[in-house]
Amino acid sequence: MRVTTVLLAVAMVLVVASAYQHPPTLGCWRDRANRAMPRRIRGNDLSHFPGDAIMKCNSATKERGWKVFGVQYGGQCWTGPLAHKHYKVYGRASNCRHGTGGGWANSVYSTRG
């Protein structure tokens, strides 16, 4: 009985932990006024909790059936139906921080995973 309880508890922890893992990252990429990913998804407090912004953007992008999204400037969510083809258009950036991009820089993620 005790072993079963411990195994059940471990399984529950693993399920909860996997629900909070960020999606696979594709790196930090430059952006410009003519956006590499043209659709901004606005939501309730996307930038209030940076880690939450990644998960919310991931969910919103998945709901639309799109493959890639970027988080910019601490919590802005950028995506689009062809984002997976265009996110690299301006080259790599080096100013992304904490997985939530930077000024004119997207931390890019795949919705796979």
Side-chain angles (χ1 to χ4, degrees), residues 23-38:
T25 184
L26 301 174
C28 182
W29 298 90
R30 288 188 189 123
D31 202 9
R32 295 190 180 155
N34 183 20
R35 301 288 182 174
M37 295 181 277

Side-chain angles (χ1 to χ4, degrees), residues 7-111:
L7 289 175
L8 182 59
V10 169
M12 289 174 63
V13 167
L14 291 174
V15 168
V16 170
S18 69
Y20 291 100
Q21 289 181 352
H22 288 168
T25 184
L26 301 174
C28 182
W29 298 90
R30 288 188 189 123
D31 202 9
R32 295 190 180 155
N34 183 20
R35 301 288 182 174
M37 295 181 277
R39 303 270 176 89
R40 183 170 179 191
I41 296 176
R42 298 175 191 267
N44 295 334
D45 298 321
L46 267 175
S47 62
H48 188 67
F49 299 105
D52 198 31
I54 296 166
M55 297 308 289
K56 285 182 178 180
C57 193
N58 183 52
S59 294
T61 303
K62 275 185 170 181
E63 286 171 9
R64 289 162 173 78
W66 300 338
K67 299 176 183 178
V68 167
F69 67 91
V71 179
Q72 187 175 131
Y73 200 59
Q76 295 176 355
C77 177
W78 294 91
T79 187
L82 299 177
H84 62 287
K85 293 183 178 184
H86 299 291
Y87 72 90
K88 295 180 182 180
V89 70
Y90 299 121
R92 287 205 175 267
S94 60
N95 58 321
C96 291
R97 299 290 179 262
H98 312 293
T100 58
W104 296 105
N106 287 304
S107 290
V108 179
Y109 297 89
S110 169
T111 59

